[in-house]
Amino acid sequence: MSDHYVKVKVQLEQMKSSSEGVEKEEADMIEDEVLVASPPASVSPIPASCTPAAQREPPKTSVTCRNQSKSRSKLGKDEKNTGTKQDSVLALQGTIVASNANSGKPVNRKDNEQQTLQIKGTGKMLQGKTETNGNTVPIHLPEDIKVGPHNKEDANKVAKRRKPVTVDTFKAKTSLEALKLSIRQLKWKEFPVGRRSACDIYWHGVSFHDNDNITSGQVNKFPGMIEMLRKINLTRAVRTMQELFPEEYNFYPRSWILPEEYQLFSTQISLAKDGDVSQKPTFIIKPDGGSQGDGIYLIRDPGDLRVIAGSHTKQSVVQEYIHKPLLIDKLKFDIRLYVLVKSLEPLEIYIAKEGLSRFCTEPYQEPSQKNLSHVFMHLTNYSLNVQSGNFVHSDSLSSGSKRTFSSVLYRLASKGVDIKKVWSDIISLVIKTIIALVPELKVYYQADIPPGKPGPTCFQILGFDILLMKNLKPVLLEVNANPSMRIEHEQEVSPGVFEYVPSPVDEEVKVGVIRDTLRLMDPAQKKSLTSYPEQEELSGSPVRGSGEEGRVLPSMCLKQVFPKYTKQFSYLRTVERITALFLRFLGVKGNMRLGPTGFRTFIRNCKLSNSHFSMATVDILYIDVTRRWASMLPGSREAGMGLQAFVEAFFYLAQRRFKSLPLREQVVSLLEVCEAQLENQGRGDPGGALPEDNTSSTRRSVSCGRTQPGRTVHPHHMSTSTPGQALSAPQLCSPATPRRALSQDYRLHQRLRPTHKGNVEN
């Protein structure tokens, strides 16, 4: 008996003995991975003893195909890797124990024994030979035959694919019920009290920092998202985009930030009333950190602003009120749409196909001094109207005080409204709003998860509150970083006794949003879903379960809108290019503020200084802009220039350099100059500022005229100020407060451009 035969026999005996104490569930889960259980057209080796001739009279020591597959499927945890490796070697090399070997004859007999390889699902047999020295000649398969996972690496991939996704729900809070239901539908594994080892997904209820000890996996919150979606920061982010793209961002109303812009607000309203006596605008005040309608009220005169204790006005945003909204059943309503930001780099955005329509509970009338305090008439917030006696909880999806958005669209379509146009405008609004938020979010992200530092990836579900005007134009009310995902509501079952009962409308919309968000973030399947989103919408996808066959879920309720529509909106990402410069010169990883040295390095490396704009002037610009923004952000303890201040300084530099162009072209032209200079330095060209004299100024003008390959060179790129040229006063087309003088040499002037009177309320 040869050593080879002894070794094979011992391994077969070990495989039999290891299968006796294994539970049935584990056997079923592994059975799909073994060689003989491969799908049709896969290949499995069959010993000569398993051929038809041998099956008629099987020897006692032989192992039939069925017994081999059964023993392989019942490997214990300790023997799983060994058995998989042995099966893989047998499969790849075509090493089959011959029938006479099972009857005690040596494998390396001199009469070149043939081996048989069966192709499952085809009825074909392939044969190989064993040489006289006992070595096996590999069986070469045709290229059209697909071989299953028969080696160790592929077997490990299969095992990994079968492993259920783990979700940590310890911090889920209000979204817990919908999340639990989604996890059960997906057959994933939940850890409601956390887990010592890492999970695939962490679901937080409030912010990214609910758990600061996560170094891997995926978290459902972005760093800084809560801060960026506060009323004031959202207004500033959109306002910056309104300066560059006033027509594209006219879906957000004219706004003022209190208390810093109170005088501007008061002056503009007085001038408007003096110009038109019949004009009686209404304004809505929203506290900066308010939620669920808390602290919102309407006024018609700046003197009606409420003050808190002391002499300071509470930080808030004032916006013009929309007095002609679209009505259904004589009631005002808004739309809550759920939007998934799957990643920032690259930017991926999904919009839920279904949303909620939340109705007021009192028939609408245009605002007057008599009805300004009627919150059930003017405010659509669910948390307010649910307290009204007229609020209707309905089991129907198309009636009551909360309905599906699709039911509203159906009614509009029945009246001849172009629903595709409405959806297109809403998608455009969502994409533009997120593009406005991304620059600051990238700064927060690199501060919490610097490049090279271990950390999780992030995604987040946002709640967009949108109002349709009478002309069907959508207007952005606000964006919620933590939209309510409750699928039940409080109901009075008896006098003074309340309990939570299921809400069919909420469950219909919210469970699908959470479930499909998890499907998109599945570590194993998210790539395929992202690559073929339209196919996924039509056919659904199999679900990874715990030892169960994948079952098909409903088609995706989330529709990808970006990068799907990149071509239509990529030109709006100008501020992101400015952000890339800001991050480049931050210097210290994890920092969010640019110091004076970093700002000087930016000016020097981009060669923006000359004899008429010295480094001393650069320092004055830095100090003035930084101090002004520090006064507007009293809660900030970090010193230095933030991104918004850097963007303001960049706008000033662009206006100073390219005086005859519109602001947007000025900014783009300066970006091209900076990017070209930095690219030249990356190729080895000398960088830094040149000596401040007229000769160097001439050389610098030529240097700044360089551009990157394939980039269009604007004729103004070659122009610089001459010694006898007076500095013109640049004007900023911004609705912000006029900026004070930077120094005695020059001033930042600002012209207030009338913004689109598409007004908004919450």
Side-chain angles (χ1 to χ4, degrees), residues 72 272 428:
R72 288 174 187 159
S428 176

Side-chain angles (χ1 to χ4, degrees), residues 655-679:
Q655 291 177 309
R656 191 179 190 278
R657 190 179 185 88
F658 306 101
K659 301 179 178 62
S660 60
L661 300 177
L663 177 62
R664 177 168 54 187
E665 295 182 22
Q666 291 172 337
V667 171
V668 172
S669 298
L670 185 60
L671 273 170
E672 292 177 351
V673 169
C674 294
E675 291 167 350
Q677 290 297 331
L678 295 175
E679 183 176 342

Side-chain angles (χ1 to χ4, degrees), residues 65-119:
C65 301
R66 183 173 300 177
N67 290 336
Q68 275 196 349
S69 62
K70 184 176 181 181
S71 63
R72 288 174 187 159
S73 66
K74 294 184 178 181
L75 291 178
K77 294 183 179 179
D78 296 337
E79 297 294 329
K80 187 188 301 182
N81 294 333
T82 304
T84 304
K85 180 177 180 180
Q86 180 66 19
D87 288 349
S88 302
V89 174
L90 292 174
L92 290 175
Q93 296 181 355
T95 303
I96 312 299
V97 181
S99 60
N100 56 358
N102 289 322
S103 59
K105 297 181 181 181
V107 177
N108 57 348
R109 57 181 299 180
K110 296 182 180 181
D111 53 352
N112 291 347
E113 188 168 22
Q114 290 187 344
Q115 300 169 18
T116 305
L117 192 66
Q118 181 182 11
I119 306 172

Side-chain angles (χ1 to χ4, degrees), residues 12 51 76 85 189 336 361 395 486 581 608 637 694-695:
L12 289 174
T51 60
K85 180 177 180 180
K189 192 169 185 178
R336 164 62 61 85
T361 51
D395 291 336
R486 283 190 179 275
L581 296 175
L608 302 181
R637 299 179 181 179
N694 295 339
T695 305

Side-chain angles (χ1 to χ4, degrees), residues 354 397 404 487 503-513 557:
E354 184 64 282
L397 303 181
T404 59
I487 57 174
S503 171
V505 178
D506 288 300
E507 184 171 338
E508 172 71 18
V509 176
K510 297 176 181 178
V511 172
V513 170
C557 73

Side-chain angles (χ1 to χ4, degrees), residues 282 298 321-333 360-368 371 374 376-380 467 761:
T282 303
L298 293 101
Y321 179 82
I322 297 177
H323 61 283
K324 291 187 179 296
L326 179 67
L327 303 179
I328 291 183
D329 300 332
K330 298 182 180 180
L331 298 174
K332 181 180 176 181
F333 69 96
C360 289
T361 51
E362 185 176 335
Y364 179 77
Q365 298 177 4
E366 290 195 15
S368 64
N371 64 24
H374 294 196
F376 300 145
M377 175 190 296
H378 297 294
L379 304 184
T380 56
L467 187 73
E761 61 78 49

Side-chain angles (χ1 to χ4, degrees), residues 82-283:
T82 304
T84 304
K85 180 177 180 180
Q86 180 66 19
D87 288 349
S88 302
V89 174
L90 292 174
L92 290 175
Q93 296 181 355
T95 303
I96 312 299
V97 181
S99 60
N100 56 358
N102 289 322
S103 59
K105 297 181 181 181
V107 177
N108 57 348
R109 57 181 299 180
K110 296 182 180 181
D111 53 352
N112 291 347
E113 188 168 22
Q114 290 187 344
Q115 300 169 18
T116 305
L117 192 66
Q118 181 182 11
I119 306 172
K120 299 189 75 71
T122 64
K124 297 180 180 180
M125 305 288 287
L126 296 179
Q127 292 182 342
K129 292 185 177 181
T130 303
E131 294 182 345
T132 56
N133 58 2
N135 296 330
T136 301
V137 179
I139 298 176
H140 298 283
L141 303 178
E143 294 181 356
D144 58 340
I145 297 178
K146 297 181 180 180
V147 181
H150 302 322
N151 55 45
K152 182 177 180 180
E153 181 180 355
D154 289 343
N156 290 337
K157 290 182 180 180
V158 172
K160 184 177 181 180
R161 186 166 63 250
R162 294 293 179 181
K163 182 180 178 181
V165 181
T166 56
V167 184
D168 186 331
T169 63
F170 183 52
K171 301 287 185 177
K173 296 190 176 180
T174 58
S175 61
L176 188 57
E177 291 303 320
L179 179 61
K180 284 180 176 292
L181 184 57
S182 300
I183 294 174
R184 286 198 297 268
Q185 291 179 2
L186 294 171
K187 302 295 183 181
W188 289 2
K189 192 169 185 178
E190 178 192 1
F191 290 88
V193 294
R195 186 189 190 194
R196 286 188 177 182
S197 56
C199 284
D200 295 312
I201 296 175
Y202 295 85
W203 199 277
H204 291 179
V206 179
S207 75
F208 173 81
H209 296 287
D210 284 355
N211 185 349
D212 289 325
N213 299 320
I214 302 174
T215 57
S216 63
Q218 302 172 96
V219 180
N220 72 316
K221 302 293 180 184
F222 278 101
M225 186 67 82
I226 291 180
E227 290 78 6
M228 278 308 301
L229 293 183
R230 294 172 71 95
K231 309 295 190 301
I232 290 178
N233 287 336
L234 175 62
T235 298
R236 284 175 175 153
V238 176
R239 179 181 287 180
T240 298
M241 301 302 291
Q242 286 176 332
E243 293 184 31
L244 295 173
F245 310 98
E247 295 300 323
E248 288 85 345
Y249 281 83
N250 60 11
F251 58 82
Y252 197 72
R254 186 167 54 164
S255 306
W256 297 265
I257 297 173
L258 301 180
E260 62 191 72
E261 295 179 1
Y262 173 77
Q263 290 298 330
L264 177 64
F265 169 63
S266 180
T267 301
Q268 289 186 342
I269 300 309
S270 299
L271 292 175
K273 289 182 177 180
D274 294 341
D276 185 0
V277 180
S278 62
Q279 185 176 6
K280 296 180 180 180
T282 303
F283 305 93

Side-chain angles (χ1 to χ4, degrees), residues 732-751:
L732 294 177
C733 302
S734 167
T737 311
R739 295 160 181 167
R740 59 180 181 173
L742 295 177
S743 68
Q744 295 179 356
D745 298 328
Y746 61 90
R747 293 175 179 272
L748 285 176
H749 291 279
Q750 186 179 40
R751 175 169 55 86

